[in-house]
């Protein structure tokens, strides 16, 4: 029955996709009249769409009959729990009522975000509305919970886990539990299989906790929550003599509270999935009782004092594998081959991503191997992808996927396009979700805000790891990745759910046209990614043709230059004009023939996202304005691209705009004019503004702007932007200014002083201009208190007197870089209580700096300091021993200072607490400035 249900769901999903195709196709035909040439030369017509809809309607009748049979079977035999993949144990009763708004949202998600109103489509629009109603009815009949939760899974096996490492986590948790002054609720959270329950068991049986508490209880809540049975279980363990059967919920709660009043209790609540579940349990627990929550969800963990469980180190992983596999005793010649076996073992645990559960599964597999030769064979299987190992990990992580709400599942599956270990720009990912219609937005909410909430939810559920995040910058700099075992699960689920994501690598071992044809051979491909690992071979103009049916289903296409160093590759002929319903196109690192974009791009009428990064072409054609539904135009790091004045204003749905970069050679040609930016009232993101190239015609009307970054070469344009940001850009969440030598600041001119003071209202500031003694002349006390500045780069500023006293009072400053001779003095002092939030500090190329005073109490949270090429600075400041949060210190191009921080150096006692100290004597390499946010955002 479960298999029949799954097949029906696939068929319903396929019909929904085809309905979405029909809507998009009709929209393209309706709007083709805006284009200079006939868009549908290939014969697509309203008549063909009508024929497709008739076929869909007939298939709906067939599926509807099958769904009715399944529904009757479920109602007659009461096997809904079986379909959901639950055990045979008694289960709570489930309601068959389905919220109407949930069904509507689900159908809208599948059918898509219509690009035109159905009411404007005449008879076809009415028919499609009826189809949507039928789809909703079928989902109601078959059970929305089945559809949302996907395929069922077998009960999870229980594995014995040897305890390796984790001593710090155990001691921390024990100390919190036995501390009467600590919070009563302590939580342990992390991804599935990371060892949360194993740690909790160690804490639960720890001698200190056993001696401190009188009564103990351990209950597992799981995704299917039954409050009554959970509380009965707790009472039975805390007070076995109490009779809990036949008690009402109220009576049971009363008895539990009575027991806890007279007894010191510790309760472990394992596998709790939602805050709502805790809210229902909480009234039954006394405030004196210590609760240890175990969860995968960070939102649940925040109920109490949260401890996140990390991965094992390489050495800990190998130790765990040795114990689980019994390799030392199983293999007779282990001692003589230990180094080789250790290397293989560490390779295999690396394949497991240092995840304890995966290593335990691997150990169980290897425990059957009794010789080094058998280990060799097992090693090769594991490195290729051992079926039993992958299956075991998948069963555990699948629970996290099944628990996702319906709207997050396609967002998560879309991430299957990323390579193993690939850094993911969170903001870019959100824009791609939006382009695919995966973000449902209601009321006054903005799609990008909702998308960022989706990403935060995936992070909270331990499915996505955050590599870099900054809550002060509204996620615009968030960098993420998928743990390798989560990625494997994502790939498996994408295949199982027919998500139709295909990722291929072009290695140059065959003609590109052959790979292209093979990639599009399936009629179900909806998302195609091609990673170019080498230059594309030249071919004759006549490439192998792909049938139009195979291209019309593709919704997102990514062509990525993945060659190390990213040398430009020639853009291959790939017949873009055939991708009629493409919604997202991303091309990186290519050189377009004769410096011209393919004309076919302008004919992708329903395109919502056009992203061309690190590409070489001369001009954005005016015909791009035909892309009426374009939501994102991204030309980041495409050098010196000219944009005509009549393009952007004709894109009514444009929300996110990333300009190309411009070098001095761009201005050598006299005909280069200023690009007047108008008609952009709905813009939410504007990155890459350049005052030499662009002019905002009506900036005060851009009231929806949330993210702005610009380079300014003159005081007038800078003043206009600052004034606008203060008066009109009320929604601005992240603003960044780079100020170059064309701007002028003098402490003797009042207007310069006023302009300088207003700069601190922006979040990110990079100043490459002389400011002299403005810090001293300017009475910054009032401006400091309201400053939004979080990232500051000072370069070539020619500051004569120590600026650290003023800079240290900036309340939100996180990143500070003083580089390129910005300070001409000899001494700086970081006073006590200054730089309260500073996390990263870079001091580079300050040739006159001789003394740096660091007082106790300054920079309490700084964790990274880089000192680079300051030849007169001979010793480490005395106060460095008080920088308790410092975890990374790098000294570059300063042999004397480098020697003093070595283990035998004279200043080592000041930095012995720093875990990572890097000394580089030859220092002329480029450093990426961590605090320059837009370098971080778009590497």
């Amino acid at each position: 029955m479960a298999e029949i249900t799954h097949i029906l769901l696939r068929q319903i999903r396929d019909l929904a996709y085809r309905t979405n195709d029909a809507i998009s196709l009709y929209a393209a035909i309706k709007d083709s009249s805006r284009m200079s040439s006939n868009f549908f030369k290939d014969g697509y017509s309203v008549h063909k769409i009508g024929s497709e809809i008739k076929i869909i309607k007939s298939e709906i009748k067939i599926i509807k009959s099958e769904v009715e049979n399944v529904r009757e079977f479920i109602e007659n035999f009461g096997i809904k729990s079986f379909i959901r993949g639950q055990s045979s144990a008694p289960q709570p009763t489930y309601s068959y009522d389905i919220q109407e708004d949930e069904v509507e949202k689900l159908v809208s998600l599948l059918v898509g975000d219509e690009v035109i109103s159905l009411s404007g489509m005449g008879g076809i629009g009415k028919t499609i509305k009826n189809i949507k109603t039928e789809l909703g009815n079928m989902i109601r009949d078959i059970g929305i919970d089945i559809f949302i939760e996907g395929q069922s899974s077998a009960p999870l096996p229980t594995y014995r886990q040897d305890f390796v490492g984790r001593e710090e986590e155990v001691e921390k948790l024990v100390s919190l539990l036995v501390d009467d002054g600590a919070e009563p609720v302590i939580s342990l959270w992390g991804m599935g299989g990371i060892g949360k329950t194993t740690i909790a068991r160690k804490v639960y049986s720890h001698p200190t906790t056993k001696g401190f508490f009188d009564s103990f209880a351990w209950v597992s809540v799981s995704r299917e929550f039954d409050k009554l049975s959970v509380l009965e279980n707790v009472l039975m363990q805390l007070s076995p003599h109490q009779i809990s059967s036949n008690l009402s919920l109220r009576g049971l709660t009363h008895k539990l509270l009575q027991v806890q009043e007279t007894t010191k209790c510790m309760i472990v609540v394992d596998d709790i999935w939602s805050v709502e579940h805790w809210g229902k349990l909480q009234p039954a627990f006394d405030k004196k009782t210590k609760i240890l929550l175990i969860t995968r969800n960070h939102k649940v963990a925040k109920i109490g004092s949260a401890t996140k469980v990390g991965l094992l180190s390489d050495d800990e992983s190998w130790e765990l594998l040795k114990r689980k596999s019994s390799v030392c005793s199983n293999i007779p010649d282990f001692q003589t081959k230990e180094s080789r076996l250790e290397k293989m073992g560490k390779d295999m645990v690396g394949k497991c991503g240092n995840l304890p559960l995966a290593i335990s599964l691997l150990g169980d597999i290897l425990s059957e191997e009794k010789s080094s030769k058998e280990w060799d064979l097992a090693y090769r299987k594991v490195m290729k992808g051992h079926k039993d190992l992958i299956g075991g990990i998948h069963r555990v992580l699948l629970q996290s996927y099944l628990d996702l709400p319906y709207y997050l599942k396609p967002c998560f599956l879309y991430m299957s396009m990323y390579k193993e270990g690939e850094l993911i720009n969170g903001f870019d990912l959100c824009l791609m979700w939006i382009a695919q219609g995966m973000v449902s937005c209601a009321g006054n909410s903005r799609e990008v805000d909702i998308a960022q909430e989706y990403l935060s939810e995936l992070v909270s559920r331990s499915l996505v790891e955050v590599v870099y995040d900054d809550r002060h910058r509204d996620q615009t700099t968030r960098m993420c990745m998928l743990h390798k075992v989560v990625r494997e699960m994502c790939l498996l689920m994408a295949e199982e759910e027919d998500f139709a994501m295909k990722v291929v690598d072009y290695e140059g071992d065959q003609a590109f046209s052959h790979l292209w044809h093979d990639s599009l051979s399936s009629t179900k491909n909806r998302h195609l990614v091609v990673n170019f690992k080498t230059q594309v071979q030249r071919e004759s103009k006549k490439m192998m043709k792909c049938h139009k049916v195979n291209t019309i289903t593709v919704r997102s296409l990514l062509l990525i230059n993945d060659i190390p160093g990213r040398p430009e590759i020639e853009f291959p002929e790939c017949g873009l004009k055939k991708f009629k319903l493409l919604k997202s196109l991303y091309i990186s690192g290519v050189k377009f023939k004769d410096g011209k974009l393919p004309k076919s791009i302008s004919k992708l009428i329903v395109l919502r996202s056009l992203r061309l990064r690190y590409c070489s072409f001369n001009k954005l054609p005016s015909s791009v304005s035909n892309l009426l539904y374009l939501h994102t135009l991204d030309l980041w790091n495409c050098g010196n691209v000219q944009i005509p004045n009549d393009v952007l204003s004709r894109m009514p749905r444009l929300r996110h705009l990333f300009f190309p970069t411009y070098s001095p050679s761009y201005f050598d040609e006299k005909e280069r004019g200023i690009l007047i930016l108008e008609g952009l009232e709905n813009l939410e993101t504007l990155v890459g503004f350049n005052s030499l190239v662009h002019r905002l015609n009506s900036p005060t009307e851009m009231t929806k702007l949330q993210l702005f970054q610009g380079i300014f070469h003159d005081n007038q344009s800078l003043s206009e932007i600052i004034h606008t940001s203060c008066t009109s850009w009320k929604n601005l969440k992240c603003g960044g200014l780079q100020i170059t030598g064309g701007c002028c600041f003098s402490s003797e001119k009042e207007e310069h002083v006023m302009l300088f003071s207003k700069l601190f209202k922006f979040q990110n500031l990079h100043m490459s201009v002389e400011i002299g003694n403005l810090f001293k002349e300017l009475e910054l006390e009032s401006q400091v208190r309201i400053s939004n500045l979080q990232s500051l780069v000072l370069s070539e500023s020619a500051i004569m007197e120590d600026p650290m006293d003023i800079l240290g009072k900036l309340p939100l400053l996180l990143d500070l870089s003083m580089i390129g001779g910005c300070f001409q003095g000899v001494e700086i002092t970081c006073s006590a209580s200054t730089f309260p939030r500073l996390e990263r500090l870079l001091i580079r190329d300050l040739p006159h700096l001789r003394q740096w005073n660091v007082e106790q109490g300054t920079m309490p949270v700084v964790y990274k300091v880089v000192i680079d090429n300051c030849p007169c600075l001979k010793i480490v400041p005395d106060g460095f021993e008080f920088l308790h949060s410092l975890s990374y210190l790098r000294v570059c191009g300063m042999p004397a200072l480098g020697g003093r921080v070595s283990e035998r150096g004279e200043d080592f006692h000041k930095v012995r607490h720093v875990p990572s100290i890097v000394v580089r004597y030859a220092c002329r390499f480029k450093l990426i400035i961590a605090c320059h946010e837009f370098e971080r955002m778009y590497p």
Side-chain angles (χ1 to χ4, degrees), residues 187-191 196 272-275 294-302 403 457 459-462:
S187 51
L188 196 60
W189 74 285
M191 66 185 292
K196 303 181 295 295
I272 183 167
W273 287 79
S274 76
V275 176
I294 305 172
T295 182
R296 303 184 188 195
N297 194 324
H298 188 214
K299 287 184 179 178
V300 177
K302 288 192 289 187
D403 190 60
E457 182 72 9
V459 170
S460 176
R461 292 169 179 268
S462 303

Side-chain angles (χ1 to χ4, degrees), residues 86-99:
Q86 295 170 10
S87 67
S88 58
Q91 299 293 332
T93 303
Y94 296 98
S95 170
Y96 292 95
D97 296 331
I98 299 168
Q99 296 295 326

Side-chain angles (χ1 to χ4, degrees), residues 510-518 539 542-544 546:
Q510 62 176 317
F512 174 74
S513 58
H514 289 220
L515 177 134
W516 190 244
H517 180 271
D518 292 344
E539 298 185 60
K542 225 176 183 181
M543 72 173 285
M544 296 177 66
C546 299

Side-chain angles (χ1 to χ4, degrees), residues 51 155 342 620 697:
S51 298
E342 180 177 349
L620 193 71
N697 205 21

Side-chain angles (χ1 to χ4, degrees), residues 447-465:
E447 286 180 315
V448 71
D449 294 334
I450 301 299
Q452 288 178 334
E453 288 178 13
Y454 287 5
L455 181 57
S456 294
E457 182 72 9
L458 289 172
V459 170
S460 176
R461 292 169 179 268
S462 303
L463 287 171
V464 175
E465 293 182 58

